[in-house]
Amino acid sequence: MRWALVKVCLAVTAMVVIAFAVPLGLVIREMASDRAFSDAERQAAMIAPTLSITTDREELTRAVLSTEPGDRGRLAVHVPAEGGPLDIGTRRATPKDVATVRKAGRASITEVTGGFALLQPTALGTGDIAVVEVFVPEGEVSHGVATAWLMLAGVGVALIVGSVAVADRLGVRMVQPAQRLAGAAQDLGEGRLGTRVPEEGPSELRSAAVAFNSMADQVVQLLANERELAADLSHRLRTPLTVLRLNAASLGEGPAAEQTRAAVQQLEHEVDTIIRTAREQRPQPSGQTGAGCDASEVIRERMGFWSALAEDEGREVRLAGVDRTVRIPVARPELAAALDALLGNVFRHTPEGTAFSVDVHHSGDAVIVLVSDAGPGISDPEAALARGTSGRDAASGSVGSTGLGLDIVRRVAESTGGDLRIGRSVLGGTEVRIWIGLYGSRPERGRRGHGRRVGRRTGWQRRRDSRAATRAQH
């Protein structure tokens, strides 16, 4: 937009300069020519009194040489005589041109070598017509024209440069607010809810900035209302959970009773986490992220939790890339919830004995978490990523799934500028790739790491907690 305005202003100014400069240059050339020939007519008139008095050759010669053009060889007098025309001074015009002027009785300008000759007829006392010839060099005809044209060109260039500079400043004044508005819209779309636009610039852009800021405020308010609603709805679950916990406490001892109590405890913990997250989360200013966590530590912890159930079901587990600290801009509960959702899907939608792996890659500007399994895979990955849809239900016949697990993982990834992808794993089943951006930019793809076995068989209590958490989560 800025350069378009500059181009338009440049074209308009150039047309205006040409429209005025070219005719003005032609007028200046005509004025210079008229000035030169007017001087020549004045010089020719200086010899007219002498011609009206005498036609003597010597007298006329002295009169011609006494004038400035005659002394410089630019003046000649052609007087008719009985023995032939009498030519005094330096002659340049042809006899034919002189005869034509004498016969016509009016002045004429003829082109000669090196310039022009002004032929001015003058009446003699005898009634004959003499012709006074004044030579005008070509340099005098165009004297000052080149300088005037250069000055016009300089003025035209200055006008064009000035107009371009003014147009550029006007373009900046218009473009910068538009660019800020576009950048703020992109930031808001990426989840930076604290983004606002300065209300400045042309009136139209100021109105757009006011509307954008109002929209951003409404978005923040709507999200705050949504969080409060989620917290309120979760809080309503506490009453039936309390009753359920009291009933579970009266079940006595035994594996089933302990599993029920563990499931109730896990469910209470998840409800508290939802309430705490909904109440504490606030929109952050643009360019800032949360405290984050160590992805390697969280993954090791959650894999240790799920490995007990994996050993009970005879699943081979591999873990790679968690041997060093990897800081990511994701809160610890959110990353743990995303991993639990993915690993829970593996246990829910693949047969017992199906192997799975978790790989972590660090590519400099992103962290990539791969969760792979050797199960039947997902028939429709696009449908699986849609909120409220379970991509494995149609293939496996699973029921009771809300289909929100992958949506939770996707939102965690997109909050950092990354994304979620589903593909085919090297194990033959599903591979879920979580791209977590470290600086709010799109991460680059990494290479798959080499897996390793995880952990040894733990006690019965740990296996019981894993199975209870799986049932409570689904």
Side-chain angles (χ1 to χ4, degrees):
M1 179 178 179
R2 171 184 176 185
W3 295 116
L5 181 61
V6 171
K7 290 179 181 179
V8 170
C9 186
L10 176 62
V12 172
T13 307
M15 288 189 294
V16 171
V17 168
I18 292 174
F20 281 93
V22 173
L24 187 58
L26 296 177
V27 169
I28 291 174
R29 188 178 66 177
E30 291 297 328
M31 290 177 61
S33 176
D34 291 343
R35 183 182 64 250
F37 289 114
S38 296
D39 291 342
E41 290 178 355
R42 180 178 54 80
Q43 294 167 1
M46 294 173 60
I47 201 69
T50 304
L51 288 173
S52 62
I53 297 174
T54 181
T55 58
D56 182 67
R57 184 184 186 89
E58 294 181 0
E59 294 291 337
L60 291 177
T61 300
R62 284 196 297 270
V64 168
L65 293 178
S66 64
T67 62
E68 180 184 356
D71 186 56
R72 299 172 63 182
R74 296 183 180 180
L75 180 64
V77 178
H78 308 283
V79 181
E82 294 181 358
L86 178 63
D87 298 326
I88 301 172
T90 305
R91 176 177 180 173
R92 289 180 175 81
T94 63
K96 181 179 179 181
D97 292 335
V98 173
T100 300
V101 171
R102 181 180 293 116
K103 182 178 180 180
R106 59 176 179 269
S108 175
I109 298 174
T110 182
E111 187 174 356
V112 297
T113 303
F116 302 88
L118 172 66
L119 302 177
Q120 178 70 45
T122 302
L124 300 176
T126 60
D128 292 329
I129 301 296
V131 177
V132 180
E133 176 186 342
V134 180
F135 173 68
V136 181
E138 186 174 1
E140 291 188 3
V141 174
S142 60
H143 178 68
V145 175
T147 303
W149 282 7
L150 288 176
M151 293 178 62
L152 287 176
V155 171
V157 171
L159 288 175
I160 292 176
V161 172
S163 65
V164 169
V166 172
D168 181 70
R169 291 300 90 197
L170 291 176
V172 169
R173 184 173 177 267
M174 296 178 60
V175 170
Q176 284 185 347
Q179 290 177 340
R180 284 194 293 267
L181 183 60
Q186 183 176 2
D187 291 341
L188 185 65
E190 293 176 354
R192 300 180 181 91
L193 302 181
T195 301
R196 296 296 182 273
V197 181
E199 299 172 3
E200 58 187 18
S203 59
E204 295 82 0
L205 292 177
R206 285 199 302 270
S207 300
V210 171
F212 176 85
N213 293 336
S214 176
M215 178 193 68
D217 293 338
Q218 292 180 9
V219 169
V220 172
Q221 184 62 39
L222 289 175
L223 290 177
N225 294 339
E226 182 182 356
R227 294 190 192 100
E228 290 298 327
L229 178 60
D232 293 341
L233 292 176
S234 301
H235 191 271
R236 295 179 186 179
L237 296 176
R238 283 183 168 177
T239 299
L241 281 176
T242 301
V243 176
L244 185 60
R245 178 166 53 82
L246 294 176
N247 292 337
S250 63
L251 293 178
E253 300 296 332
E258 291 184 4
Q259 292 176 6
T260 302
R261 285 190 285 270
V264 172
Q265 182 180 2
Q266 178 67 20
L267 185 57
E268 287 183 328
H269 173 71
E270 293 298 335
V271 170
D272 290 340
T273 300
I274 293 174
I275 296 174
R276 189 164 50 250
T277 301
R279 290 283 170 82
E280 293 179 357
Q281 187 175 9
R282 292 290 182 271
Q284 297 180 359
S286 176
Q288 296 183 6
T289 58
C293 66
D294 180 4
S296 298
E297 179 185 357
V298 176
I299 293 174
R300 286 196 301 266
E301 177 186 342
R302 301 317 299 164
M303 285 296 291
F305 179 81
W306 287 96
S307 62
L309 185 58
E311 292 179 4
D312 271 355
E313 295 185 357
R315 298 175 182 268
E316 181 182 355
V317 182
R318 292 189 304 165
L319 180 63
V322 295
D323 52 349
R324 67 188 182 99
T325 301
V326 179
R327 300 292 303 182
I328 60 174
V330 177
R332 184 186 187 93
E334 295 181 4
L335 179 60
L339 289 173
D340 288 343
L342 292 179
L343 296 176
N345 283 341
V346 172
F347 282 87
R348 182 178 176 83
H349 299 292
T350 61
E352 293 188 8
T354 302
F356 68 93
S357 65
V358 177
D359 300 333
V360 181
H361 302 277
H362 194 296
S363 63
D365 61 348
V367 172
I368 305 170
V369 180
L370 306 178
V371 179
S372 309
D373 64 60
I378 296 179
S379 58
D380 191 351
E382 292 185 1
L385 290 175
R387 183 177 176 87
T389 303
S390 176
R392 302 184 193 246
D393 290 348
S396 62
S398 301
V399 294
S401 173
T402 63
L404 300 182
L406 290 178
D407 186 68
I408 294 173
V409 180
R410 178 183 59 79
R411 285 189 286 113
V412 169
E414 290 181 352
S415 67
T416 65
D419 62 10
L420 175 68
R421 295 188 180 184
I422 299 178
R424 201 72 178 175
S425 71
V426 295
L427 299 179
T430 303
E431 178 184 77
V432 180
R433 299 188 178 189
I434 310 174
W435 301 66
I436 301 175
L438 299 183
Y439 311 107
S441 59
R442 176 60 184 260
E444 298 181 359
R445 301 187 179 216
R447 295 179 300 174
R448 180 179 303 279
H450 300 285
R452 61 182 179 87
R453 293 294 299 270
V454 178
R456 298 180 59 86
R457 186 176 182 87
T458 59
W460 177 85
Q461 181 70 30
R462 186 177 178 185
R463 295 194 298 273
R464 180 200 65 189
D465 293 343
S466 297
R467 288 193 298 269
T470 302
R471 295 189 182 95
Q473 198 169 33
H474 297 281

mmCIF file of all heavy atoms in Angstrom, residues 37 73-74 78 90-95 97-98 108-119 133-139 141:
data_model
loop_
_atom_site.group_PDB
_atom_site.id
_atom_site.type_symbol
_atom_site.label_atom_id
_atom_site.label_comp_id
_atom_site.label_asym_id
_atom_site.label_seq_id
_atom_site.Cartn_x
_atom_site.Cartn_y
_atom_site.Cartn_z
ATOM 1 N N PHE A 37 16.288 38.595 -32.612
ATOM 2 C CA PHE A 37 15.900 39.273 -33.854
ATOM 3 C C PHE A 37 15.402 40.696 -33.598
ATOM 4 O O PHE A 37 15.516 41.570 -34.474
ATOM 5 C CB PHE A 37 14.829 38.449 -34.581
ATOM 6 C CG PHE A 37 15.382 37.172 -35.169
ATOM 7 C CD1 PHE A 37 14.980 35.929 -34.707
ATOM 8 C CD2 PHE A 37 16.325 37.220 -36.191
ATOM 9 C CE1 PHE A 37 15.487 34.766 -35.251
ATOM 10 C CE2 PHE A 37 16.834 36.052 -36.749
ATOM 11 C CZ PHE A 37 16.424 34.818 -36.266
ATOM 12 N N GLY A 73 31.547 42.758 -38.376
ATOM 13 C CA GLY A 73 31.320 42.033 -39.616
ATOM 14 C C GLY A 73 29.965 41.385 -39.703
ATOM 15 O O GLY A 73 29.791 40.380 -40.403
ATOM 16 N N ARG A 74 28.968 41.962 -39.032
ATOM 17 C CA ARG A 74 27.642 41.357 -39.040
ATOM 18 C C ARG A 74 26.600 42.226 -39.740
ATOM 19 O O ARG A 74 25.425 41.876 -39.764
ATOM 20 C CB ARG A 74 27.175 41.112 -37.588
ATOM 21 C CG ARG A 74 28.016 40.113 -36.830
ATOM 22 C CD ARG A 74 27.433 39.885 -35.449
ATOM 23 N NE ARG A 74 28.205 38.924 -34.670
ATOM 24 C CZ ARG A 74 27.893 38.554 -33.420
ATOM 25 N NH1 ARG A 74 26.820 39.093 -32.848
ATOM 26 N NH2 ARG A 74 28.656 37.682 -32.804
ATOM 27 N N HIS A 78 22.702 46.693 -48.937
ATOM 28 C CA HIS A 78 22.559 46.397 -50.363
ATOM 29 C C HIS A 78 21.748 47.523 -50.999
ATOM 30 O O HIS A 78 20.537 47.652 -50.754
ATOM 31 C CB HIS A 78 21.844 45.048 -50.575
ATOM 32 C CG HIS A 78 22.479 43.917 -49.796
ATOM 33 N ND1 HIS A 78 23.641 43.324 -50.199
ATOM 34 C CD2 HIS A 78 22.092 43.300 -48.641
ATOM 35 C CE1 HIS A 78 23.953 42.356 -49.333
ATOM 36 N NE2 HIS A 78 23.018 42.333 -48.376
ATOM 37 N N THR A 90 29.864 42.965 -44.857
ATOM 38 C CA THR A 90 30.012 41.506 -45.046
ATOM 39 C C THR A 90 28.667 40.913 -45.450
ATOM 40 O O THR A 90 27.689 40.956 -44.698
ATOM 41 C CB THR A 90 30.493 40.819 -43.758
ATOM 42 O OG1 THR A 90 31.706 41.449 -43.337
ATOM 43 C CG2 THR A 90 30.726 39.349 -43.983
ATOM 44 N N ARG A 91 28.627 40.374 -46.652
ATOM 45 C CA ARG A 91 27.390 39.851 -47.188
ATOM 46 C C ARG A 91 27.304 38.342 -46.937
ATOM 47 O O ARG A 91 28.253 37.613 -47.167
ATOM 48 C CB ARG A 91 27.332 40.139 -48.680
ATOM 49 C CG ARG A 91 26.099 39.542 -49.360
ATOM 50 C CD ARG A 91 26.082 39.946 -50.818
ATOM 51 N NE ARG A 91 24.909 39.387 -51.483
ATOM 52 C CZ ARG A 91 24.564 39.674 -52.729
ATOM 53 N NH1 ARG A 91 25.311 40.519 -53.429
ATOM 54 N NH2 ARG A 91 23.484 39.133 -53.253
ATOM 55 N N ARG A 92 26.096 37.874 -46.498
ATOM 56 C CA ARG A 92 25.854 36.441 -46.268
ATOM 57 C C ARG A 92 24.605 35.954 -47.000
ATOM 58 O O ARG A 92 24.524 34.793 -47.381
ATOM 59 C CB ARG A 92 25.725 36.160 -44.766
ATOM 60 C CG ARG A 92 27.050 36.289 -44.015
ATOM 61 C CD ARG A 92 26.865 35.995 -42.537
ATOM 62 N NE ARG A 92 28.126 35.994 -41.814
ATOM 63 C CZ ARG A 92 28.755 37.079 -41.391
ATOM 64 N NH1 ARG A 92 28.233 38.291 -41.629
ATOM 65 N NH2 ARG A 92 29.895 36.989 -40.746
ATOM 66 N N ALA A 93 23.601 36.782 -47.134
ATOM 67 C CA ALA A 93 22.377 36.394 -47.835
ATOM 68 C C ALA A 93 22.628 36.331 -49.338
ATOM 69 O O ALA A 93 23.489 37.039 -49.880
ATOM 70 C CB ALA A 93 21.260 37.388 -47.534
ATOM 71 N N THR A 94 21.880 35.506 -50.021
ATOM 72 C CA THR A 94 22.020 35.373 -51.471
ATOM 73 C C THR A 94 21.352 36.544 -52.177
ATOM 74 O O THR A 94 20.422 37.172 -51.631
ATOM 75 C CB THR A 94 21.385 34.057 -51.944
ATOM 76 O OG1 THR A 94 19.978 34.091 -51.649
ATOM 77 C CG2 THR A 94 22.010 32.858 -51.226
ATOM 78 N N PRO A 95 21.808 36.896 -53.400
ATOM 79 C CA PRO A 95 21.155 37.986 -54.167
ATOM 80 C C PRO A 95 19.679 37.721 -54.380
ATOM 81 O O PRO A 95 18.885 38.670 -54.411
ATOM 82 C CB PRO A 95 21.927 37.987 -55.491
ATOM 83 C CG PRO A 95 23.268 37.416 -55.148
ATOM 84 C CD PRO A 95 23.006 36.378 -54.091
ATOM 85 N N ASP A 97 17.570 36.245 -52.307
ATOM 86 C CA ASP A 97 16.838 36.601 -51.084
ATOM 87 C C ASP A 97 16.738 38.123 -50.959
ATOM 88 O O ASP A 97 15.687 38.672 -50.561
ATOM 89 C CB ASP A 97 17.541 36.024 -49.856
ATOM 90 C CG ASP A 97 17.461 34.495 -49.810
ATOM 91 O OD1 ASP A 97 16.507 33.944 -50.400
ATOM 92 O OD2 ASP A 97 18.338 33.872 -49.174
ATOM 93 N N VAL A 98 17.816 38.839 -51.304
ATOM 94 C CA VAL A 98 17.805 40.301 -51.223
ATOM 95 C C VAL A 98 16.796 40.877 -52.213
ATOM 96 O O VAL A 98 16.022 41.800 -51.902
ATOM 97 C CB VAL A 98 19.214 40.860 -51.478
ATOM 98 C CG1 VAL A 98 19.186 42.390 -51.560
ATOM 99 C CG2 VAL A 98 20.170 40.403 -50.386
ATOM 100 N N SER A 108 12.444 40.096 -43.714
ATOM 101 C CA SER A 108 12.452 38.631 -43.819
ATOM 102 C C SER A 108 13.686 38.093 -43.103
ATOM 103 O O SER A 108 14.709 38.794 -42.994
ATOM 104 C CB SER A 108 12.457 38.199 -45.290
ATOM 105 O OG SER A 108 12.587 36.787 -45.394
ATOM 106 N N ILE A 109 13.536 36.872 -42.617
ATOM 107 C CA ILE A 109 14.647 36.189 -41.950
ATOM 108 C C ILE A 109 14.989 34.961 -42.767
ATOM 109 O O ILE A 109 14.114 34.131 -43.057
ATOM 110 C CB ILE A 109 14.280 35.799 -40.511
ATOM 111 C CG1 ILE A 109 13.973 37.048 -39.677
ATOM 112 C CG2 ILE A 109 15.409 35.007 -39.867
ATOM 113 C CD1 ILE A 109 13.466 36.721 -38.282
ATOM 114 N N THR A 110 16.224 34.848 -43.147
ATOM 115 C CA THR A 110 16.658 33.708 -43.942
ATOM 116 C C THR A 110 17.807 33.017 -43.241
ATOM 117 O O THR A 110 18.612 33.651 -42.547
ATOM 118 C CB THR A 110 17.076 34.148 -45.351
ATOM 119 O OG1 THR A 110 17.445 32.990 -46.119
ATOM 120 C CG2 THR A 110 18.266 35.096 -45.291
ATOM 121 N N GLU A 111 17.873 31.729 -43.427
ATOM 122 C CA GLU A 111 18.913 30.934 -42.773
ATOM 123 C C GLU A 111 20.173 30.959 -43.617
ATOM 124 O O GLU A 111 20.135 30.725 -44.840
ATOM 125 C CB GLU A 111 18.439 29.495 -42.589
ATOM 126 C CG GLU A 111 19.397 28.650 -41.769
ATOM 127 C CD GLU A 111 18.830 27.262 -41.466
ATOM 128 O OE1 GLU A 111 17.666 27.014 -41.834
ATOM 129 O OE2 GLU A 111 19.558 26.449 -40.871
ATOM 130 N N VAL A 112 21.281 31.252 -42.982
ATOM 131 C CA VAL A 112 22.573 31.300 -43.659
ATOM 132 C C VAL A 112 23.556 30.442 -42.881
ATOM 133 O O VAL A 112 23.238 29.906 -41.809
ATOM 134 C CB VAL A 112 23.080 32.753 -43.767
ATOM 135 C CG1 VAL A 112 22.137 33.603 -44.609
ATOM 136 C CG2 VAL A 112 23.235 33.368 -42.379
ATOM 137 N N THR A 113 24.760 30.351 -43.398
ATOM 138 C CA THR A 113 25.786 29.549 -42.737
ATOM 139 C C THR A 113 26.153 30.165 -41.390
ATOM 140 O O THR A 113 26.511 31.337 -41.299
ATOM 141 C CB THR A 113 27.040 29.470 -43.632
ATOM 142 O OG1 THR A 113 26.683 28.926 -44.897
ATOM 143 C CG2 THR A 113 28.096 28.589 -42.974
ATOM 144 N N GLY A 114 26.011 29.372 -40.321
ATOM 145 C CA GLY A 114 26.387 29.835 -38.991
ATOM 146 C C GLY A 114 25.302 30.557 -38.244
ATOM 147 O O GLY A 114 25.533 30.998 -37.113
ATOM 148 N N GLY A 115 24.120 30.737 -38.840
ATOM 149 C CA GLY A 115 23.056 31.432 -38.129
ATOM 150 C C GLY A 115 21.950 31.873 -39.051
ATOM 151 O O GLY A 115 21.552 31.159 -39.973
ATOM 152 N N PHE A 116 21.484 33.116 -38.830
ATOM 153 C CA PHE A 116 20.375 33.666 -39.607
ATOM 154 C C PHE A 116 20.710 35.086 -40.026
ATOM 155 O O PHE A 116 21.497 35.787 -39.374
ATOM 156 C CB PHE A 116 19.088 33.664 -38.765
ATOM 157 C CG PHE A 116 18.695 32.288 -38.271
ATOM 158 C CD1 PHE A 116 19.188 31.798 -37.060
ATOM 159 C CD2 PHE A 116 17.855 31.486 -39.016
ATOM 160 C CE1 PHE A 116 18.833 30.546 -36.610
ATOM 161 C CE2 PHE A 116 17.486 30.233 -38.569
ATOM 162 C CZ PHE A 116 17.977 29.760 -37.361
ATOM 163 N N ALA A 117 20.062 35.511 -41.115
ATOM 164 C CA ALA A 117 20.261 36.880 -41.613
ATOM 165 C C ALA A 117 18.918 37.586 -41.627
ATOM 166 O O ALA A 117 17.939 37.086 -42.205
ATOM 167 C CB ALA A 117 20.869 36.874 -43.012
ATOM 168 N N LEU A 118 18.862 38.763 -40.989
ATOM 169 C CA LEU A 118 17.665 39.588 -41.002
ATOM 170 C C LEU A 118 17.796 40.594 -42.144
ATOM 171 O O LEU A 118 18.734 41.394 -42.179
ATOM 172 C CB LEU A 118 17.517 40.324 -39.671
ATOM 173 C CG LEU A 118 16.406 41.374 -39.625
ATOM 174 C CD1 LEU A 118 15.036 40.704 -39.754
ATOM 175 C CD2 LEU A 118 16.490 42.202 -38.344
ATOM 176 N N LEU A 119 16.872 40.548 -43.070
ATOM 177 C CA LEU A 119 16.872 41.451 -44.229
ATOM 178 C C LEU A 119 15.772 42.473 -44.021
ATOM 179 O O LEU A 119 14.583 42.132 -44.023
ATOM 180 C CB LEU A 119 16.651 40.654 -45.520
ATOM 181 C CG LEU A 119 17.684 39.547 -45.801
ATOM 182 C CD1 LEU A 119 17.326 38.775 -47.054
ATOM 183 C CD2 LEU A 119 19.087 40.127 -45.915
ATOM 184 N N GLU A 133 21.163 44.201 -44.150
ATOM 185 C CA GLU A 133 21.326 42.793 -43.718
ATOM 186 C C GLU A 133 22.075 42.760 -42.377
ATOM 187 O O GLU A 133 23.172 43.294 -42.270
ATOM 188 C CB GLU A 133 22.096 41.993 -44.761
ATOM 189 C CG GLU A 133 22.389 40.559 -44.332
ATOM 190 C CD GLU A 133 23.285 39.828 -45.318
ATOM 191 O OE1 GLU A 133 23.407 40.287 -46.487
ATOM 192 O OE2 GLU A 133 23.895 38.804 -44.927
ATOM 193 N N VAL A 134 21.443 42.126 -41.381
ATOM 194 C CA VAL A 134 22.076 41.963 -40.063
ATOM 195 C C VAL A 134 22.196 40.461 -39.781
ATOM 196 O O VAL A 134 21.201 39.728 -39.817
ATOM 197 C CB VAL A 134 21.260 42.651 -38.953
ATOM 198 C CG1 VAL A 134 21.950 42.450 -37.601
ATOM 199 C CG2 VAL A 134 21.084 44.134 -39.252
ATOM 200 N N PHE A 135 23.433 40.064 -39.535
ATOM 201 C CA PHE A 135 23.687 38.634 -39.269
ATOM 202 C C PHE A 135 23.490 38.346 -37.771
ATOM 203 O O PHE A 135 24.026 39.074 -36.919
ATOM 204 C CB PHE A 135 25.111 38.279 -39.689
ATOM 205 C CG PHE A 135 25.509 36.877 -39.310
ATOM 206 C CD1 PHE A 135 24.930 35.767 -39.910
ATOM 207 C CD2 PHE A 135 26.494 36.655 -38.334
ATOM 208 C CE1 PHE A 135 25.298 34.494 -39.552
ATOM 209 C CE2 PHE A 135 26.863 35.363 -37.967
ATOM 210 C CZ PHE A 135 26.266 34.278 -38.580
ATOM 211 N N VAL A 136 22.689 37.287 -37.491
ATOM 212 C CA VAL A 136 22.435 36.855 -36.104
ATOM 213 C C VAL A 136 23.002 35.447 -35.943
ATOM 214 O O VAL A 136 22.478 34.504 -36.538
ATOM 215 C CB VAL A 136 20.929 36.860 -35.776
ATOM 216 C CG1 VAL A 136 20.709 36.425 -34.328
ATOM 217 C CG2 VAL A 136 20.338 38.240 -36.022
ATOM 218 N N PRO A 137 24.115 35.290 -35.178
ATOM 219 C CA PRO A 137 24.679 33.949 -34.993
ATOM 220 C C PRO A 137 23.674 33.003 -34.311
ATOM 221 O O PRO A 137 22.794 33.430 -33.553
ATOM 222 C CB PRO A 137 25.905 34.189 -34.105
ATOM 223 C CG PRO A 137 26.236 35.629 -34.292
ATOM 224 C CD PRO A 137 24.923 36.324 -34.512
ATOM 225 N N GLU A 138 23.832 31.752 -34.604
ATOM 226 C CA GLU A 138 22.913 30.748 -34.046
ATOM 227 C C GLU A 138 22.992 30.710 -32.521
ATOM 228 O O GLU A 138 21.990 30.447 -31.829
ATOM 229 C CB GLU A 138 23.240 29.368 -34.623
ATOM 230 C CG GLU A 138 22.258 28.281 -34.232
ATOM 231 C CD GLU A 138 22.549 26.967 -34.943
ATOM 232 O OE1 GLU A 138 23.525 26.905 -35.715
ATOM 233 O OE2 GLU A 138 21.787 26.008 -34.715
ATOM 234 N N GLY A 139 24.164 31.002 -31.961
ATOM 235 C CA GLY A 139 24.316 30.993 -30.511
ATOM 236 C C GLY A 139 23.481 32.056 -29.824
ATOM 237 O O GLY A 139 23.005 31.869 -28.709
ATOM 238 N N VAL A 141 20.600 33.218 -30.984
ATOM 239 C CA VAL A 141 19.183 32.851 -31.096
ATOM 240 C C VAL A 141 18.766 31.953 -29.933
ATOM 241 O O VAL A 141 17.651 32.065 -29.415
ATOM 242 C CB VAL A 141 18.917 32.173 -32.452
ATOM 243 C CG1 VAL A 141 17.474 31.659 -32.533
ATOM 244 C CG2 VAL A 141 19.193 33.149 -33.594
#
